[in-house]
Amino acid sequence: PLPANLSYLKDAIAANGKAVKRTCTGSTPDQVASLEALKEAWSSVSANAILNAVRDFEAGIAKGLSKDNAYEYSSASRLHAARMHTYTFLLHRFAAQVEQSPAELRPVLLLLARLFGAHSAVQYSGEFLQAGYYSGEQVEAIKAFVNQACSEVRNDAVPLTDAFNYTDYVVNSPLGRFDGDVYEKYFELVTSLNPTKPIPYFDSLIKPLLNRTQVFETGPELEIDQEE
């Protein structure tokens, strides 16, 4: 029996212990970066990473290592599998919450979920190519979707950020103030951090350098400078 956070493995790994070969059939940015396609893609990548970690562990056992040493032998692949599973888990949880969200919030939350899944897929595009779910052309389509989604989500960036209800004290930035008074607060911050006051050693050290003449003293004539 699998816990809920690993339930996606039921569809991603066959009864014989091998990864189920799944591929994306879409070609346009919206098709390859649909929420269902991204969930299936990440499930395939995570399952593939977990199987590789299992194979590395079993290879360590086959070499005669103890169980603890076999875990250490496969630590790199196990860490990678944990990372891939974390992205998969977050995307699946995000998708579940989108389905339960109010109807008026669902479109923007759906866009955010897809952007998260697609942007993460671009970062780990090699894993998707290795798992065989996406082709090189489809990865390029995902990149196009990320660019498109970033421009769309900008329209809701401020209210989405304000939804966390962070106070000005927590944000601690003149650019993210609740009252929107950006320029005045930014100017106040700059002037407070750079108060007008005399520059140390200006009169004694710096000013003489600025006012020095271009007349150079003539040094002693050297023998090498004399003409034969």
Side-chain angles (χ1 to χ4, degrees):
L2 292 172
N5 66 336
L6 286 170
S7 59
Y8 64 86
L9 293 177
K10 293 179 181 178
D11 297 324
I13 297 180
N16 61 1
K18 295 183 179 180
V20 176
K21 189 66 175 178
R22 293 185 292 186
T23 57
C24 180
T25 58
S27 58
T28 67
D30 278 333
Q31 290 173 340
V32 299
S34 69
L35 189 56
E36 289 305 314
L38 289 168
K39 286 169 59 179
E40 188 175 75
W42 273 106
S43 296
S44 298
V45 164
S46 182
N48 190 62
I50 291 172
L51 286 174
N52 286 337
V54 170
R55 294 188 187 103
D56 286 348
F57 173 78
E58 292 176 341
I61 295 294
K63 289 177 179 291
L65 299 178
S66 66
K67 187 175 181 180
D68 288 341
N69 287 336
Y71 275 126
E72 182 66 24
Y73 177 79
S74 60
S75 59
S77 56
R78 289 192 301 111
L79 176 60
H80 180 68
R83 183 178 289 114
M84 295 299 98
H85 166 68
T86 300
Y87 277 102
T88 304
F89 172 75
L90 289 174
L91 181 61
H92 279 73
R93 291 297 300 159
F94 202 156
Q97 292 301 313
V98 170
E99 295 175 359
Q100 300 174 19
S101 63
E104 62 272 17
L105 295 179
R106 207 166 296 157
V108 66
L109 292 180
L110 175 61
L111 178 62
L112 281 179
R114 295 174 64 198
L115 179 56
F116 167 71
H119 178 260
S120 303
V122 170
Q123 289 182 306
Y124 292 97
S125 57
E127 303 298 323
F128 293 85
L129 295 173
Q130 183 180 8
Y133 188 82
Y134 285 134
S135 65
E137 292 77 11
Q138 289 170 328
V139 170
E140 291 301 317
I142 294 177
K143 292 180 181 178
F145 168 78
V146 170
N147 291 334
Q148 169 194 333
C150 284
S151 62
E152 291 181 16
V153 81
R154 287 184 63 183
N155 299 324
D156 300 297
V158 173
L160 284 170
T161 305
D162 287 344
F164 290 99
N165 201 28
Y166 292 133
T167 65
D168 289 338
Y169 177 80
V170 173
V171 175
N172 192 28
S173 169
L175 301 179
R177 290 186 58 84
F178 182 78
D179 58 12
D181 189 6
V182 174
Y183 299 105
E184 292 290 337
K185 299 303 178 183
Y186 187 73
F187 183 74
E188 289 178 9
L189 178 64
V190 171
T191 53
S192 65
L193 295 177
N194 300 274
T196 303
K197 58 183 179 180
I199 301 174
Y201 311 111
F202 179 81
D203 289 329
S204 61
L205 296 178
I206 301 177
K207 191 174 181 180
L209 291 174
L210 297 176
N211 294 332
R212 70 183 185 273
T213 65
Q214 296 297 320
V215 178
F216 300 97
E217 295 182 358
T218 303
E221 186 175 345
L222 303 177
E223 183 179 351
I224 194 173
D225 296 326
Q226 298 176 0
E227 297 182 0
E228 295 182 356

